[in-house]
């Protein structure tokens, strides 16, 4: 009877314990996991992946303390060997006793129960035993955490400054998304590959651009109440409306007056190309890394249209399905760091563009009105970075002022909407 | 040991478990705990393919099957499930599945690719390794069907398929054997959507060379097509009865929730693992892609030959051949080197291409050609 070796879990030189999985073989639509009968070191694998093995012939050599012992291939498929009685009994004696909750704690921390000394009844492993084991490994006393709060990665929320001023911001500390970190105490080196390599290249190219920064504050009190109203209307049309569509449209209106901010400079710095289309990108943090999907031809879109596009890009981004068409062709970028936190930033210009704007969080702050009274204002901080080779401070400042005026007085956008 | 703790976990902590206790008053809520019983039938209340597969794994890993056997009945909403050692690019139309939002799952047992939807019943027979007998399990299925409809021509074959009228496959089998226990699972086509089944199980990718287990396509038919009075619920009840009859058990059908972490501790993590790209795609045995395509940009066109070696779902080697006047060799070489180490996945590729195009200074013409080339490469993922 023949089987095909499909996968090895060990290689020559590996240490194995009794009952560790050694390999996976396939026979006749059945997948069989073959486990080790001994504690020892793997000395020889008799087959490669995809080789055909005969049942009964040697599979692997394991060197135990008692000396070299050939391990005949475990029974496969139809013929349960009598010797299994023996191994079965051994298993009962050796299987670590622990409640499911303790097993889960061990699993989460990648701990083998067989390595933990149980101090409970009959050698049962208790929660304290796992914690002690961990403490010994890391040299620290670990507080026992309850249910791990998993923070959703910022993919969905990057484009939405839904900071609600009436909610007192809790003193929440950032929790890294994902599972509990495993402490190994060892350095780890990996080569950069794929997307990381591409990112390095992009950022190295970005460094060639001499940037200058310009920051400002925008009073978005009126925008906040407008968005609140329009949100309901958009909802009735099945679309989520955040602040981003307003920021994007205002930027596009500004670009009509300052087209040099929607341009690109060639490699030799010999010519500038003024791009006709305002393809405004949104920096998004996804599992693949930083990607910048963009909304095409914003100059032809209404705020509602922009919201629809954003919804589409956000759901694609969340499910990791953004395509090249959406990720390329951007001419101007906005990065909404405010959803994660922060006010001012030093964003890096993404070539071949020449400007990038980072939007901080909207904070409720005291400000003076024209009568000199203190009022509550919703304040957004913005940080622009621009390519100083072709853009000067005055241009950036004027563009920012125009953009700001549209947002501080949203009704003025209606005058210039195309 | 573990079974005692299952009862401790199930009792009292969640209100629906109390309800379970009341509903099945005659049997213990810790369904596997009842010492007198040697056989148990459970039915999943979930139609999530990953949760259901995770429960299979959980039972296989945690339940002592030396003295008890279990029949597990489950159905999934539309999904494609490939065997442990198969190549998804070879087996199904990934592009169509992505468009339809249909998930792809890789199970831990061997065998071929199947399409699941609510019109397909899955059943898993858990036994000790000694009691592992696929033919006997399949006789449970054929007898159950014949008891329901005596005229029905259903027969199991040597290859562990079940054929309707001697030619149409209505059931396929796969199995997994561990150290001391085993499970045999099979499908049963009751009323699956064949208009979706066919296109989804046709690979859309060219040029794949692989040693992965290939599926053997067969003509299929639904039991519903043969007899419209046969629906999934009726059949599942009949299967449960026949299982009891065949093995001399008297278990009622217990409904279980495979998402219940209290009942099955660690199961959420198992379901999560089954969802990861690393498991679904990364477990594909080594394969290579050799293909060529014609790229048209404006008035220019070129033939590009493409060779990729992929291991663990990651591109290990990449080489591209195209006329040097069409795209500068240093650009295509650099692009090839960037592809190395990238997942063979259209989304990663899209992000990589976007970053590459940003960082590489190309004229408008070259940019469009590069973009077009990338689109073709991604289309084959």
């Amino acid at each position: 009877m023949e089987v095909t070796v499909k996968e090895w879990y060990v290689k020559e030189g590996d240490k194995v314990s009794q009952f560790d999985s050694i390999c996976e073989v396939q026979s006749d639509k059945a997948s069989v996991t073959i486990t080790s009968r001994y504690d020892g070191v793997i000395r020889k694998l008799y087959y490669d992946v995809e080789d055909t093995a005969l049942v009964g012939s040697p599979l692997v050599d394991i060197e135990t303390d008692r000396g070299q012992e050939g391990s005949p291939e475990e029974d496969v498929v139809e013929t349960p060997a009598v010797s299994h009685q023996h191994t079965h009994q051994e298993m009962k004696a050796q299987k670590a006793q622990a409640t499911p909750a303790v097993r889960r704690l061990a699993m989460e921390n990648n701990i083998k129960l067989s390595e933990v000394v149980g101090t409970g009844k009959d050698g049962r492993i208790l929660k304290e035993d796992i914690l002690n084991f961990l403490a010994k490994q890391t040299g620290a006393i670990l507080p026992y955490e309850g249910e791990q709060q998993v923070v959703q990665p910022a993919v969905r929320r990057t484009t939405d400054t839904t900071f609600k001023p009436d909610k007192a911001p809790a003193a929440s500390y950032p929790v890294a998304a994902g599972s509990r970190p495993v402490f190994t105490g060892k350095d780890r080196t990996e080569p950069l590959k794929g997307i990381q390599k591409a990112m390095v290249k992009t950022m190295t190219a970005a460094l060639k651009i001499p940037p200058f920064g310009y920051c400002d504050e925008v009073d978005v009190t009126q925008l906040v109440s407008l968005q609140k109203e329009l949100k309901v209307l958009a909802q009735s049309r099945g679309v989520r409306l955040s602040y981003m569509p307003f920021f994007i449209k205002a930027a596009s209106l500004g670009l009509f007056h300052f087209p040099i901010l929607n341009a690109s400079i060639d490699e030799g710095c010999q010519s500038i190309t003024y791009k006709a289309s305002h393809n405004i990108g949104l920096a998004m943090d996804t599992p693949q890394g930083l990607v910048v999907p963009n909304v095409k031809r914003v100059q032809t879109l209404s705020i509602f249209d922009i919201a629809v596009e954003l919804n589409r890009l956000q759901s694609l981004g969340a499910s990791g399905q953004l395509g090249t068409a959406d990720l390329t062709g951007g001419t101007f970028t906005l990065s909404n760091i405010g959803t994660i936190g922060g006010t001012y930033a030093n964003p890096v210009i993404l070539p071949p563009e020449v400007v990038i704007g980072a939007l901080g969080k909207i904070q409720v702050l005291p400000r003076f009105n024209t009568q000199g009274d203190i009022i509550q204002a919703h304040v957004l901080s913005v940080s622009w970075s621009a390519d100083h080779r072709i853009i000067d401070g005055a241009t950036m400042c004027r563009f920012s002022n125009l953009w700001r005026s549209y947002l501080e007085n949203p009704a003025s956008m209606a005058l210039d909407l195309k | 040991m573990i079974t005692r703790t299952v009862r401790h976990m199930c009792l009292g902590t969640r209100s629906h478990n109390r309800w379970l206790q009341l509903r099945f008053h005659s049997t213990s809520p810790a369904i596997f705990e009842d010492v007198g019983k040697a056989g148990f039938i459970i039915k999943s209340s979930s139609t999530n393919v990953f949760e259901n597969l995770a429960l299979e794994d959980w039972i296989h890993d945690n339940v002592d099957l030396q003295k008890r056997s279990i029949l597990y009945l489950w159905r999934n909403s539309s999904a494609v499930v490939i065997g442990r050692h198969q190549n998804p690019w070879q087996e199904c139309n990934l592009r169509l599945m992505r468009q339809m939002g249909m998930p792809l799952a890789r199970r831990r047992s061997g065998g071929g690719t199947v399409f699941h939807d609510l019109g397909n019943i899955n059943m898993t027979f858990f036994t000790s390794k000694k009691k592992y007998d696929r033919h006997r399990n399949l006789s449970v299925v054929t007898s159950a069907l014949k008891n329901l409809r005596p005229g029905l021509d259903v027969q199991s074959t040597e290859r562990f398929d079940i054929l309707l009228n001697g030619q149409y496959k209505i059931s396929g089998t796969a199995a997994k054997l561990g150290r001391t226990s085993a499970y045999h699972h099979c499908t049963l086509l009751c009323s699956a959507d064949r208009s979706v089944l066919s296109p989804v199980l046709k690979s859309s990718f060219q040029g794949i060379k692989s040693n992965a287990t290939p599926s053997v396509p067969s003509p299929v038919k639904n039991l519903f097509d043969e007899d419209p009075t046969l629906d999934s619920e009726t059949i599942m009840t009949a299967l449960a009865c026949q299982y009891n009859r065949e093995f001399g058990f008297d278990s009622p059908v217990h409904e279980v929730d495979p998402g219940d972490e209290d009942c099955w501790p660690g199961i959420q993590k198992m379901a999560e693992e089954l969802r990861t790209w690393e498991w679904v795609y990364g477990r594909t045995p080594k394969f290579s892609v050799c293909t060529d395509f014609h790229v048209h940009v404006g008035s220019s066109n070129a033939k590009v030959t493409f060779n990729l070696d992929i291991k663990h779902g990651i591109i290990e080697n990449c080489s591209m051949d195209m006329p040097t006047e069409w795209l500068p060799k240093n650009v295509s070489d650099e692009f090839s080197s960037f592809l190395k180490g990238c997942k063979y996945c259209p989304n990663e590729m899209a992000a990589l291409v976007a970053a590459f195009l940003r960082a590489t200074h190309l004229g408008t013409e070259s940019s469009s050609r590069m973009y077009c080339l990338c689109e073709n490469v991604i289309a084959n993922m």
Side-chain angles (χ1 to χ4, degrees), chain A residues 159-176:
Chain A
T159 56
D160 178 12
T161 45
T162 45
F163 182 92
K164 291 185 170 53
D166 31 324
K167 249 197 224 166
S172 55
Y173 293 96
V175 178

Side-chain angles (χ1 to χ4, degrees), chain B residues 21-72:
Chain B
Q21 197 175 358
L22 290 168
R23 190 176 169 202
F24 298 108
H25 188 63
S26 57
T27 60
S28 154
I31 44 191
F32 307 142
E33 170 61 5
D34 207 324
V35 174
K37 295 212 173 274
F40 296 90
I41 304 176
I42 56 174
K43 187 167 114 170
S44 173
S45 61
S46 164
T47 53
N48 180 306
V49 63
F50 301 104
E51 282 185 353
N52 287 332
L53 284 172
L55 182 55
E56 240 185 6
D57 291 340
W58 196 98
I59 295 175
H60 182 66
D61 290 347
N62 293 298
V63 177
D64 183 359
L65 292 162
Q66 295 316 301
K67 292 196 176 61
R68 60 181 64 80
S69 302
I70 300 171
L71 171 65
Y72 169 38

Side-chain angles (χ1 to χ4, degrees), chain B residues 65-132:
Chain B
L65 292 162
Q66 295 316 301
K67 292 196 176 61
R68 60 181 64 80
S69 302
I70 300 171
L71 171 65
Y72 169 38
L73 296 166
W74 41 297
R75 289 188 297 158
N76 299 317
S77 28
S78 306
V80 171
V81 182
I82 54 174
R84 174 85 194 243
H85 306 289
Q86 291 202 294
N87 181 325
W89 289 275
Q90 241 180 356
E91 296 296 333
C92 47
N93 191 335
L94 292 174
R95 223 174 298 139
L96 180 61
M97 286 167 63
R98 275 181 212 123
Q99 275 163 16
M100 296 173 75
M102 192 185 298
L104 174 70
R106 181 188 294 269
R107 58 178 188 269
R108 292 192 195 269
S109 60
T113 302
V114 278
F115 168 74
H116 286 192
D117 69 9
L118 292 173
N120 170 70
I121 299 175
N122 297 298
M123 50 201 120
T124 312
F125 298 85
F126 290 94
T127 56
S128 65
K129 228 157 144 175
K130 275 212 205 104
K131 295 210 177 114
Y132 172 70

Side-chain angles (χ1 to χ4, degrees), chain A residues 72-322:
Chain A
E73 178 167 321
E74 304 273 344
D75 62 291
V76 182
V77 195
E78 310 296 358
T79 51
V82 170
S83 58
H84 258 286
Q85 295 285 21
H86 171 70
T87 50
H88 175 61
Q89 281 162 14
E90 280 180 287
M91 173 194 80
K92 255 199 167 156
Q94 295 212 6
K95 189 166 178 177
Q97 299 234 16
T99 65
V102 172
R103 279 180 196 281
R104 183 172 33 153
L105 185 58
M107 226 181 334
E108 278 173 1
N109 287 287
N110 287 316
I111 294 174
K112 266 197 187 151
L113 283 175
S114 49
E115 289 173 15
V116 181
V117 176
T119 57
K121 186 181 166 202
D122 295 337
R124 183 180 280 268
I125 297 172
L126 308 172
K127 184 183 82 189
E128 288 68 38
D129 299 327
I130 304 278
L131 293 177
N132 284 332
F133 184 82
L134 267 176
K136 275 198 218 119
Q137 275 202 327
T138 61
I141 299 179
L142 298 170
Y144 177 65
E145 280 171 63
E147 284 284 55
Q148 178 95 18
Q149 195 73 4
V150 176
V151 174
Q152 292 297 334
V155 169
R156 249 166 277 156
R157 299 165 58 220
T158 322
T159 56
D160 178 12
T161 45
T162 45
F163 182 92
K164 291 185 170 53
D166 31 324
K167 249 197 224 166
S172 55
Y173 293 96
V175 178
S179 53
R180 229 184 274 256
V182 177
F183 300 103
T184 57
K186 281 192 271 207
D187 286 351
R188 199 184 69 187
T189 309
E190 314 178 314
L192 281 179
K193 40 186 202 253
I195 293 196
Q196 283 174 322
K197 246 168 104 170
M199 277 296 288
V200 169
K201 191 171 151 99
T202 310
M203 290 307 162
T204 311
L207 207 55
K208 293 199 189 117
I209 306 173
F212 74 92
Y214 175 84
C215 303
D216 203 358
E217 258 185 20
V218 184
D219 184 339
V220 290
T221 313
Q222 287 190 34
L223 181 64
V224 168
S225 52
L226 178 66
Q227 187 262 354
K228 224 183 197 158
E229 257 182 64
L230 294 179
K231 196 161 107 168
V232 180
L233 181 59
Q235 202 70 35
S236 69
R237 296 186 195 174
V239 172
R240 227 170 51 90
L241 180 72
S242 61
Y243 295 112
M244 273 325 283
F246 296 96
F247 298 147
I248 292 173
K249 191 60 186 173
S252 170
L253 292 177
L255 288 174
F256 279 121
H257 296 270
F258 301 97
I260 197 169
L261 298 172
N262 198 53
S264 189
I265 188 173
D266 72 323
E267 191 174 6
C269 299
Q270 296 297 318
S271 51
I272 302 176
T273 310
Y274 296 89
K275 301 276 167 127
S277 205
H278 302 165
N279 297 342
I280 299 187
L282 236 19
M284 248 191 219
D285 178 33
T286 66
Q288 279 82 43
L290 171 68
V291 293
V292 190
N294 57 86
V295 180
K296 302 273 194 296
R297 292 176 299 278
V298 175
Q299 76 276 14
T300 62
L301 299 178
S302 67
I303 289 179
F304 181 75
D305 294 334
I306 299 172
V308 168
E309 255 304 281
L310 280 184
N311 278 190
R312 182 185 74 86
L313 291 173
Q314 276 162 317
S315 65
L316 285 179
S319 56
Q321 296 209 18
L322 286 165

Side-chain angles (χ1 to χ4, degrees), chain B residues 179-245:
Chain B
R179 195 159 29 89
T180 52
S181 54
Y183 66 76
H184 158 217
H185 57 200
C186 56
T187 53
L188 188 60
L189 280 176
C190 303
S191 54
D193 189 344
R194 285 179 43 205
S195 66
V196 175
L197 186 152
S198 305
V200 142
L201 293 182
K202 242 186 231 123
S203 167
S204 51
F205 303 105
Q206 313 141 335
I208 298 183
K209 281 201 220 125
S210 157
N211 282 331
T213 317
S215 290
V216 177
S218 324
V220 297
K221 199 172 182 189
N222 281 311
L223 283 166
F224 183 84
D225 296 334
E226 187 72 8
D227 182 342
T229 61
L230 284 172
D231 63 280
S232 307
E233 285 300 330
T234 313
I235 295 177
M236 281 196 281
T237 314
L239 288 168
C241 288
Q242 188 59 29
Y243 179 75
N244 278 330
R245 206 173 295 141

